[in-house]
Amino acid sequence: MTSTTSEDDLTLAIDKALPDIRAAYVEAGDAWQPHDYVPWDDGRNYAFLGGEDFAPADVKVHPVVAHGLVLGLLTKDHLPSFHRLLAQHHLIDSDWGKFVGHWTAEENRHAIALRDHVVVSRTFDVEQLEAWRLEAVTRGYRQYEGTRDELHVAEQIAMVMTHEALSADYFDRLADFAEKAEGTPAGLVTTLRKIAADDRVQLQYWVELFTVALDVNEGHAKDALLGQARVVSAIGAETAEGLDESRRIVVDAEIATAERDRELINVLLARWGLAL
């Protein structure tokens, strides 16, 4: 745990560095449009508007793609929880608030894009997906004792760094699988690549914030990173009940495994001579 003085010093140092970091982050981003990559011509009305509701026979994609999309989408739906965790020690109209707000908007774009694909291409039961979304967002990401009250600034930064490292790899590997699989809708692979690329850019600028933390209190920053590396959740792990089958399918396809996640986290940690 850092001292109050160190915490105040870090907050001040981040406030000083953030204008330049935020400007570079916004400039580096790819302002892609989710609607450009959704095959709208493949869609049709659901029953309420005179069409037909989802039926299992509607699914044309490979099961790994379908279940991988669900886990990735529900993880992106955790934005409110992330936002609460990241807003604990800062004013929303500060540079930190603006930086987090831009990150939040990008993450929300990912959820919009993935959900549009699922709904239009009927890659999964949309009513079940909505039930899971409600459960996942209500439950929240890391909204339990031992997390919210104990996350200081360095822990907040480290939390997002470790998460983005796993997320970027997850969506790239899902794109690799979808690219080779039969029945993958037009535009889906590009969407997954766009999301992975965004996650990598995001990681880069959270790392820049972490270097500020290192300059202020190297020992505490490294402890924070190791602490978050030990508890980072696999993509799709903290979502809803009833998704064990989806997780098994994704693991069996090696889209994301415990071994792969540990390897990725150790690659991140190695930048500062750390390891799990």
Side-chain angles (χ1 to χ4, degrees):
M1 182 69 68
T2 185
S3 69
T4 302
T5 300
S6 295
E7 188 77 0
D8 290 344
D9 289 345
L10 177 53
T11 300
L12 290 171
I14 285 177
D15 286 344
K16 183 177 180 180
L18 259 173
D20 289 341
I21 292 176
R22 183 170 69 89
Y25 167 38
V26 173
E27 179 67 23
D30 177 8
W32 58 282
Q33 301 296 322
H35 63 265
D36 284 339
Y37 307 101
V38 178
W40 301 103
D41 283 347
D42 292 352
R44 62 186 193 275
N45 286 345
Y46 288 84
F48 185 79
L49 293 179
E52 295 178 346
D53 279 338
F54 173 86
D58 291 337
V59 180
K60 307 302 181 187
V61 302
H62 193 285
V64 170
V65 177
H67 290 273
L69 280 174
V70 168
L71 294 181
L73 172 53
L74 290 172
T75 300
K76 293 293 184 178
D77 280 332
H78 271 315
L79 273 176
S81 298
F82 275 110
H83 204 86
R84 284 194 295 271
L85 289 164
L86 292 169
Q88 291 180 71
H89 304 295
H90 306 269
L91 297 174
I92 196 63
D93 61 350
S94 66
D95 283 305
W96 173 272
K98 294 172 184 176
F99 180 88
V100 170
H102 189 80
W103 175 83
T104 300
E106 288 188 335
E107 291 290 293
N108 191 38
R109 176 172 61 193
H110 300 166
I112 290 168
L114 294 173
R115 182 165 282 102
D116 282 348
H117 271 285
V118 173
V119 171
V120 170
S121 299
R122 298 186 177 228
T123 57
F124 211 89
D125 182 345
V126 291
E127 292 187 9
Q128 178 61 73
L129 180 62
E130 175 61 7
W132 281 333
R133 186 192 69 83
L134 288 171
E135 181 183 344
V137 176
T138 300
R139 175 181 297 180
Y141 177 81
R142 297 180 63 171
Q143 301 292 292
Y144 47 80
E145 186 177 359
T147 56
R148 291 189 67 185
D149 293 338
E150 297 178 14
L151 275 182
H152 290 262
V153 179
E155 284 86 358
Q156 291 173 323
I157 296 168
M159 176 190 70
V160 182
M161 286 168 56
T162 54
H163 171 75
E164 292 293 5
L166 299 188
S167 184
D169 189 73
Y170 179 93
F171 284 103
D172 253 346
R173 289 170 76 85
L174 186 57
D176 289 343
F177 190 99
E179 193 167 32
K180 299 173 184 175
E182 293 184 4
T184 299
L188 178 57
V189 171
T190 302
T191 298
L192 296 171
R193 298 283 189 214
K194 291 281 189 182
I195 291 171
D198 279 355
D199 287 343
R200 286 195 168 86
V201 171
Q202 291 166 350
L203 173 59
Q204 175 186 344
Y205 289 96
W206 284 99
V207 166
E208 290 208 17
L209 287 178
F210 184 69
T211 62
V212 176
L214 285 169
D215 289 340
V216 173
N217 188 329
E218 182 176 351
H220 172 64
K222 288 183 174 180
D223 286 345
L225 181 55
L226 275 172
Q228 293 304 306
R230 293 186 182 109
V231 300
V232 63
S233 299
I235 303 302
E238 291 194 38
T239 48
E241 297 294 334
L243 284 159
D244 288 347
E245 179 70 3
S246 295
R247 297 184 187 106
R248 182 192 64 75
I249 289 171
V250 166
V251 169
D252 287 350
E254 298 186 342
I255 305 301
T257 65
E259 295 77 12
R260 176 70 179 176
D261 286 356
R262 185 180 181 88
E263 176 186 341
L264 290 165
I265 294 301
N266 273 326
V267 169
L268 179 65
L269 294 176
R271 300 188 191 189
W272 301 282
L274 304 172
L276 291 176

